[in-house]
Amino acid sequence: MEDVRQGWLDGNPDHCGRTDPRPSRPFRIILLGAPGAGKGTQAELLTDRLRACQLSTGDVFREARCASSIALSTVMRDAMDAMTAGKLVPDETVIDLVRERVHCLICSYGFILDGFPRTVSQAEALDEMLADQDLVVDVVLNYSLPVESVVRRLSGRRTCRSCKTTFHVETKPPKVEGICDKCGGALYQREDDTAESIRVRLTAYEESTSPLAAYYEAKGLLCTVSAEGDAGEVFNRTLSALEERFGALPV
Ligand code: AMP
């Protein structure tokens, strides 16, 4: 799946050469929820289970930031500044970025969208992109978590620079402080996981992203899942919610 992810990150469809068996039915799923609700982790688990690709706009911006700053366009540099401050990147930039990667959206393996759409305008743009291909979203999983839990999770989060695995200083500490258990890479605290950025991100979420729940509720697509507990518990709830809606999931 590494090439598939690379195709999304750099927007080059040549990197997506999937040959693994196609699932008996593709799932096209959007994950909503405040930062820290665990969308990224659930997206990874769903990717393994359903074989749809995890597409995260936040990952694309982080990847761009790691690339040479000389290579960044002014638009991308402004996007990086917004991101570091915890603010949302302008809709136009995000929509252009997703449009450039439409091959990932229309892939017959399906998709798990994590972090996009984040505003109603982005959702409308996504609907248009999919409608042009006669595709629709199957379900929108909305992960709910009280604010205190969000702040606790985000401020203790540490991420591996190499393989992106996440840890938590209290609830999932690495065996050796600062070192990834999986690949030995260095762990870091995301610049936007500081107390001030978390506050700004939560405000952005309340103002821009929570109206999306109403947007998808009106379309009959919203399915709310409690994000309390560990990743395995939340994943079990996620699978139950999907089975309730779609029947037995493909093996
Ligand atoms: P995430 O990893 O999804 O929390 O995204 C990290 C940051 O990237 C966000 O705080 C935003 O600055 C930016 N970002 C990612 N996706 C979007 C989006 N769909 N709309 C606007 N900004 C985004």
Side-chain angles (χ1 to χ4, degrees):
M1 293 289 275
E2 212 31 55
D3 285 352
V4 178
R5 185 169 172 273
Q6 198 54 43
W8 169 254
L9 291 178
D10 62 19
N12 181 354
D14 295 344
H15 280 141
C16 182
R18 285 188 80 168
T19 52
D20 54 319
R22 274 166 214 278
S24 50
R25 64 149 292 175
F27 276 92
R28 298 188 175 89
I29 300 177
I30 293 174
L31 306 187
L32 292 187
K39 299 185 296 297
T41 305
Q42 295 305 312
E44 274 170 32
L45 295 169
L46 282 168
T47 297
D48 281 349
R49 180 66 179 75
L50 302 176
R51 297 208 298 279
C53 304
Q54 173 187 4
L55 308 179
S56 153
T57 39
D59 279 350
V60 177
F61 290 127
R62 274 185 287 282
E63 185 84 359
R65 187 163 48 194
C66 293
S68 162
S69 56
I70 302 159
L72 288 182
S73 63
T74 315
V75 170
M76 221 26 175
R77 224 186 300 263
D78 288 349
M80 302 296 101
D81 289 346
M83 186 183 177
T84 305
K87 293 184 193 153
L88 288 189
V89 172
D91 283 339
E92 217 175 293
T93 308
V94 183
I95 292 167
D96 282 352
L97 180 136
V98 174
R99 201 171 276 126
E100 278 172 12
R101 290 160 174 76
V102 77
H103 55 272
C104 285
L105 285 182
I106 63 178
C107 167
S108 54
Y109 288 84
F111 58 71
I112 316 282
L113 272 177
D114 153 27
F116 176 85
R118 260 193 168 78
T119 64
V120 171
S121 301
Q122 292 179 18
E124 288 168 347
L126 173 66
D127 283 349
E128 276 173 34
M129 283 183 238
L130 293 177
D132 284 347
Q133 309 289 335
D134 283 331
L135 296 175
V136 288
V137 171
D138 292 312
V139 67
V140 178
L141 296 170
N142 183 27
Y143 290 99
S144 65
L145 192 67
V147 172
E148 319 80 70
S149 307
V150 167
V151 174
R152 207 172 326 119
R153 278 194 192 177
L154 289 181
S155 53
R157 178 161 71 178
R158 299 293 181 271
T159 308
C160 174
R161 279 202 194 280
S162 306
C163 71
K164 316 280 184 271
T165 300
T166 54
F167 296 84
H168 190 279
V169 290
E170 284 165 18
T171 55
K172 192 189 163 198
K175 291 192 186 106
V176 180
E177 198 186 323
I179 306 288
C180 175
D181 289 354
K182 261 197 192 167
C183 74
L187 301 184
Y188 76 108
Q189 181 172 29
R190 274 172 47 170
E191 282 181 55
D192 58 352
D193 277 348
T194 58
E196 174 58 14
S197 275
I198 292 170
R199 199 185 54 72
V200 177
R201 284 161 73 200
L202 284 178
T203 307
Y205 176 75
E206 278 311 317
E207 285 173 1
S208 308
T209 311
S210 49
L212 271 183
Y215 178 85
Y216 287 120
E217 175 85 81
K219 290 177 179 281
L221 290 173
L222 196 74
C223 183
T224 296
V225 177
S226 163
E228 294 272 21
D230 66 31
E233 288 166 341
V234 180
F235 190 52
N236 285 338
R237 269 179 232 132
T238 301
L239 292 181
S240 303
L242 290 177
E243 277 165 356
E244 206 170 293
R245 212 171 170 99
F246 300 104
L249 299 174
V251 278

